[in-house]
């Protein structure tokens, strides 16, 4: 059976196109870290709109996946990662290691998505 | 994406300008007091300021009428849908384990890989999952008595296994052989109170480092 949540793998591999390696391990296997350029991060705050809140509220009565919210968070996460990668590129890094993600609700309607890691140069 | 924010912005600007325009026009109408004017300005004010609220309250009335039926529907079929979903995830899990030859996800850091690694990169997936209002009601009763709240645990566990399965599928799509250092985060999606529309929704977010053997 196919469910809608198997949506496409859109912008998620943007960092590879940018030529910056992003991993969440402490080292990159097969490469040597030569320089540490500090912590880089990127964040987005996303608000859900009232109409979407209403439709997802109806979906909530039945239970199950809230597809629109999944898509919203996916897009926001891509944006946060893109900002982190841009930050690292501005510092002249070619890789980001030990990436972590954090989600927090700023107000009742808005979620902040934050990605951070260490920008390094590898050989 | 950008078009969405633009749309919201234009809508807000249009609404504000309509409001300002109607206020100005109605003020002029009061000052000039010309009876030969065609439609009275009060119509515009009513049309642009009152009508949206009337429509909104109508929507709420419809919601209030339909809510019990939706609630009962969710109580009757919510559990079965969850069961179906869990079974589908189990099937998908089996097929991806067949593809990789083992479960590709692990929390190891990669020192167990003997042949070396050719390439690596981030892979992540997320899912927002909400229990039905029926489940929330049962959980509320459970809260009174104390003890385990199995009904919510099942929903969250289903969401978690689905997020993990999505991660496997994405690793397969990107061509990785294994996913290292997997972390699974759970965040409360809608921390609104009693009046919030969306209640009890959680976001499960799984991420790891995909590697390709050298």
């Amino acid at each position: 059976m196919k469910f809608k949540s198997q949506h496409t793998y859109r912008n998620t591999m943007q960092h590879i196109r940018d030529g910056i390696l992003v991993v969440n391990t402490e080292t990159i296997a097969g490469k040597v870290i030569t320089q540490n350029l500090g912590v880089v991060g990127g964040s987005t705050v996303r608000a859900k709109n009232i109409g979407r809140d209403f439709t997802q509220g109806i979906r909530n009565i039945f239970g199950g996946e809230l597809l629109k919210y999944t898509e919203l968070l996916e897009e926001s996460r891509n944006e946060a990662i893109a900002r982190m990668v841009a930050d690292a590129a501005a510092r002249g890094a070619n890789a980001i290691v030990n990436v972590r993600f954090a989600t927090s609700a700023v107000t009742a309607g808005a979620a902040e998505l934050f990605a951070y890691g260490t920008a390094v140069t590898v050989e | 994406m950008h078009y969405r924010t633009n749309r919201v912005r234009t809508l807000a600007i249009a609404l504000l300008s309509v409001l300002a325009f109607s206020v100005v026009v109605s003020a002029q109408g009061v000052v000039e007091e010309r009876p030969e004017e065609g439609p009275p300005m009060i119509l515009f004010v009513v049309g642009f300021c009152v009508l949206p609220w009337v429509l909104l309250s109508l929507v709420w009335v419809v919601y209030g009428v339909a809510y019990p039926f939706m609630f009962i529907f969710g109580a009757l079929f919510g559990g079965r849908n969850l069961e179906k979903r869990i079974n589908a995830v189990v099937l998908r899990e089996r097929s991806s384990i067949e593809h990789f030859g083992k479960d590709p996800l692990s929390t190891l850091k990669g020192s167990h890989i003997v042949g070396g690694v050719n390439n690596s990169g981030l892979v992540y997936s997320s899912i927002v999952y909400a229990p039905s209002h029926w489940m929330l009601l049962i959980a509320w009763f459970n809260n009174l008595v104390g003890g385990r709240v199995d009904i919510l645990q099942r929903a969250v566990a289903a969401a978690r296994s689905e997020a993990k399965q999505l991660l496997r599928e994405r690793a397969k799509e990107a061509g990785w052989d294994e996913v290292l250092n997997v972390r699974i985060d759970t965040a409360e999606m809608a921390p609104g109170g009693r009046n919030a529309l969306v209640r009890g929704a959680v976001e499960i977010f799984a991420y790891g480092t995909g590697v390709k053997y050298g």
Side-chain angles (χ1 to χ4, degrees), chain B residues 20-196:
Chain B
F21 176 75
S22 59
V23 165
V24 166
V25 165
S26 61
Q28 277 177 350
V30 168
V31 169
E32 289 171 7
E33 283 194 9
R34 285 189 299 178
E36 68 268 18
E37 248 176 307
M41 282 309 156
I42 192 77
L43 267 185
F44 285 96
V45 177
V46 167
F48 287 119
C49 299
V50 179
L51 210 64
W53 297 110
V54 170
L55 284 177
L56 203 65
S57 54
L58 260 178
V59 166
W60 279 109
V61 166
V62 170
Y63 179 82
V65 169
Y67 180 82
F69 296 105
M70 295 196 283
F71 181 82
I72 290 167
F73 190 85
L76 288 179
F77 298 109
R80 209 163 71 185
N81 284 343
L82 190 66
E83 206 71 43
K84 258 189 211 166
R85 232 180 144 108
I86 290 169
N87 290 340
V89 167
V90 166
L91 283 182
R92 278 158 63 194
E93 239 164 46
R94 207 168 289 159
S95 79
S96 62
I97 284 173
E98 231 165 66
H99 171 263
F100 285 105
K102 57 170 180 183
D103 192 355
L105 309 184
S106 72
T107 52
L108 303 171
K109 309 257 169 159
S111 49
H112 63 289
I113 297 172
V114 187
V117 167
N118 193 18
N119 198 3
S120 54
L122 198 68
V123 41
Y124 53 95
S125 69
S126 72
I127 185 165
V128 178
Y129 213 82
S132 67
H133 281 193
W134 169 253
M135 289 184 192
L136 287 177
L137 186 72
I138 296 289
W140 185 77
F141 277 119
N142 270 342
N143 247 341
L144 293 183
V145 184
R148 291 177 301 175
V149 191
D150 276 341
I151 200 158
L152 288 186
Q153 186 267 333
R154 264 183 73 222
V156 175
R160 199 164 283 144
S161 63
E162 191 154 353
K164 267 159 50 185
Q165 178 50 30
L166 214 55
L167 196 64
R168 283 188 199 103
E169 273 156 21
R170 287 181 171 188
K172 181 179 165 187
E173 217 170 310
W176 305 122
D177 288 328
E178 196 175 346
V179 184
L180 303 175
N181 204 10
V182 172
R183 271 144 209 272
I184 300 168
D185 281 355
T186 311
E188 206 178 352
M189 179 67 199
R194 190 173 284 269
N195 296 322

Side-chain angles (χ1 to χ4, degrees), chain A residues 99-122:
Chain A
V99 170
R100 299 282 161 91
F101 292 90
T103 311
S104 56
V106 180
T107 64
E112 195 213 8
L113 306 158
F114 185 51
Y116 60 101
T118 307
V120 294
T121 51
V122 294

